[in-house]
């Protein structure tokens, strides 16, 4: 039964109409992702009305393609002008922009495209076959596990500074202070907003990344 559903899904994907919406979504998503500040989530939200009249399968294909295209489009500005288009492409500035300064932007863009394709393909395959098992593990994760995971992520990230561990810890502390601005997700209490309504939603990571990388 599961094999039949899987084969039926592949047959639906190979439909020429679905392929058309997939290509269109990738093109639109790439253009949206290249705009600093508009990430995959914002791109899908803005272009959601396009999917109202094209059918369920075509709509899902379009939105998914826009999301994937935006993920790659964010690396364009990261590589070319050292300004990340979205949060996931912030790390791309470290190596991609260095190749641009050396006069090799084409190599960086090609590597980013190939890496996005391979990573996306592996991710989709894993999503198809591993979703039931991952869902079972999700029930096990509680507050202690999430706290330990975030603590490990912060320690690992602060250690990326190699021998400059103190600078990494200082950057981690500044990041935590910035993330504390806005409404608390559990208690709903405003923190460090100083009476400004605009700060109640907090400061988005893309805004911070654009400021840090763009001004530098």
């Amino acid at each position: 039964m599961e094999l039949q559903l899987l084969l039926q899904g592949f047959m639906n994907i190979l439909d020429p109409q679905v392929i058309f919406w997939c290509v269109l979504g990738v093109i639109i998503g790439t253009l949206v992702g290249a705009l600093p500040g508009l990430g995959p989530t914002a791109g899908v939200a803005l272009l959601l009305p396009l999917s109202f009249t094209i059918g369920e399968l075509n709509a899902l294909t379009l939105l998914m393609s826009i999301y994937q295209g935006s993920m790659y489009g964010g690396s364009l500005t990261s590589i070319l002008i050292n300004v990340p288009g979205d949060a996931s492409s912030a790390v791309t500035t470290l190596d991609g922009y260095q190749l641009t300064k050396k006069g090799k932007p084409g190599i960086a863009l090609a590597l980013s495209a190939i890496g996005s394709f391979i990573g996306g393909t592996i991710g989709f395959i894993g999503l198809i076959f591993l979703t039931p098992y991952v869902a079972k593990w999700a029930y096990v994760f509680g507050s202690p596990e999430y706290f330990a995971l975030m603590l490990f992520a912060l320690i690992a990230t602060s250690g990326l500074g190699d021998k400059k561990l103190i600078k990494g810890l200082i950057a981690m502390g500044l990041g935590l202070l910035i993330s504390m601005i806005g409404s608390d997700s559990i208690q709903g209490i405003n923190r460090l907003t100083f009476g400004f309504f605009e700060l109640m939603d907090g400061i988005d990571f893309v805004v911070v990344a654009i400021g840090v990388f763009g001004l530098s």
Side-chain angles (χ1 to χ4, degrees):
M1 184 65 181
E2 294 181 357
L3 181 60
Q4 292 179 353
L5 292 175
L6 185 61
L7 293 176
Q8 182 64 35
F10 280 115
M11 292 298 296
N12 292 333
I13 293 174
L14 295 177
D15 185 87
Q17 190 176 9
V18 175
I19 295 177
F20 167 77
W21 289 111
C22 179
V23 174
L24 180 62
V26 170
I27 295 174
I28 296 175
T30 303
L31 296 176
V32 172
L35 300 174
L38 288 178
T41 305
V44 171
L46 291 174
L47 300 173
L48 184 62
L50 295 177
S51 63
F52 288 167
T53 59
I54 60 176
E56 296 178 358
L57 180 59
N58 294 331
L60 290 175
T61 302
L62 176 65
L63 295 178
M64 184 173 60
S65 302
I66 291 174
Y67 185 89
Q68 293 295 327
S70 299
M71 294 290 289
Y72 167 71
S75 63
L76 296 177
T77 52
S78 300
I79 294 172
L80 297 178
I81 60 176
N82 200 33
V83 176
D86 57 83
S88 61
S89 61
V91 183
T92 311
T93 59
L94 301 178
D95 296 324
Y97 186 65
Q98 302 302 320
L99 287 175
T100 300
K101 292 196 296 184
K102 293 180 181 179
K104 301 178 181 179
I107 297 177
L109 292 173
L111 290 175
S112 178
I114 295 172
S116 297
F117 174 77
I118 295 176
T121 303
I122 295 175
F124 276 121
I125 294 175
L127 182 65
I128 292 172
F129 294 102
L130 299 179
T131 298
Y133 305 100
V134 175
K136 293 180 181 179
W137 278 100
Y139 286 109
V140 182
F141 264 68
S143 299
E145 289 78 13
Y146 278 112
F147 174 79
L149 181 63
M150 294 303 300
L151 182 62
F152 170 77
L154 291 172
I155 295 175
T157 305
S158 62
L160 292 177
D162 195 15
K163 297 181 180 180
K164 301 177 181 179
L165 181 59
I166 297 180
K167 290 186 177 180
L169 293 174
I170 294 174
M172 180 189 70
L174 291 175
L176 288 175
L177 288 176
I178 294 175
S179 65
M180 290 177 64
I181 299 175
S183 300
D184 182 76
S185 58
I186 299 178
Q187 299 179 352
I189 301 175
N190 294 331
R191 303 176 301 188
L192 303 177
T193 58
F194 305 103
F196 291 97
F197 179 78
E198 294 78 7
L199 294 178
M200 291 181 62
D201 290 333
I203 300 179
D204 190 76
F205 176 80
V206 176
V207 177
V208 179
I210 291 176
V212 172
F213 290 99
L215 292 178
S216 63

